[in-house]
Amino acid sequence: MAASSGNKLAMQIQAYFDQLAPNWDKELSWESLECFSNIVKELGIKPGDWVLDIGSGTGVLLPFLTTAVGNKGRILALDFSAKMLHQAKAKGFQPTVDFIQADITAIPLSNDCVNLAICNSVFPHFSDKAEALREIARVIKDNGRLVIC
């Protein structure tokens, strides 16, 4: 992908999700939240784990992830959309959550730093899935896991 066409597409995708951010949570149902809770329970996250929530959006998984990692763990909420992250930050999940605005193909984290990376309802939106997977693999510890929902 050429830099100019790639930048234009990236800006369009970011603008699309920025536009949806204020109303994103209105689409959540009780059934969806129960499903998210069950997914996180099945992941076997241990207290103290570091979890990368890729495409964190407005933070729908954050209540469940923060409970799972406890006080000694860390959640890295990564999203391309600044406005989605703004909505998530407003929910008060700090101090166990760090919010990171970045493209999935350039995750600003060191190698081998997370126990688990989760992509919930985001993987189909990646324009370069192979590069996204390479970058995700780079930040996952040797014994870590990637979960795509």
Side-chain angles (χ1 to χ4, degrees):
M1 184 178 336
S4 61
S5 65
N7 288 340
K8 184 177 180 182
L9 177 60
M11 289 172 53
Q12 289 172 340
I13 293 169
Q14 186 176 15
Y16 172 75
F17 284 102
D18 281 350
Q19 175 187 346
L20 294 175
N23 296 309
W24 192 263
D25 288 349
K26 292 178 184 173
E27 301 299 319
L28 288 175
S29 66
W30 177 86
E31 291 86 4
S32 295
L33 293 173
E34 185 176 24
C35 180
F36 297 147
S37 174
N38 290 335
I39 288 169
V40 172
K41 285 176 187 172
E42 293 295 320
L43 295 177
I45 298 170
K46 297 176 191 78
D49 277 352
W50 282 51
V51 177
L52 177 61
D53 181 10
I54 301 168
S56 186
T58 61
V60 297
L61 291 181
L62 294 179
F64 312 109
L65 293 172
T66 56
T67 298
V69 301
N71 294 344
K72 295 182 182 178
R74 200 103 200 121
I75 306 298
L76 306 168
L78 179 106
D79 204 283
F80 194 54
S81 166
K83 290 188 179 180
M84 285 282 191
L85 288 175
H86 177 76
Q87 295 290 323
K89 285 178 189 178
K91 295 176 181 177
F93 293 110
Q94 299 166 350
T96 58
V97 180
D98 291 315
F99 296 94
I100 305 165
Q101 183 188 3
D103 187 283
I104 189 61
T105 61
I107 301 172
L109 297 173
S110 60
N111 295 349
D112 306 316
C113 65
V114 299
N115 303 97
L116 171 74
I118 183 167
C119 296
N120 181 56
S121 299
V122 68
F123 196 79
H125 298 288
F126 299 153
S127 59
D128 188 342
K129 291 172 180 52
E131 183 58 31
L133 288 171
R134 278 190 287 278
E135 186 65 355
I136 294 166
R138 180 186 67 77
V139 301
I140 296 176
K141 293 180 180 182
D142 286 340
N143 61 346
R145 298 172 292 143
L146 167 63
V147 176
I148 299 174
C149 304

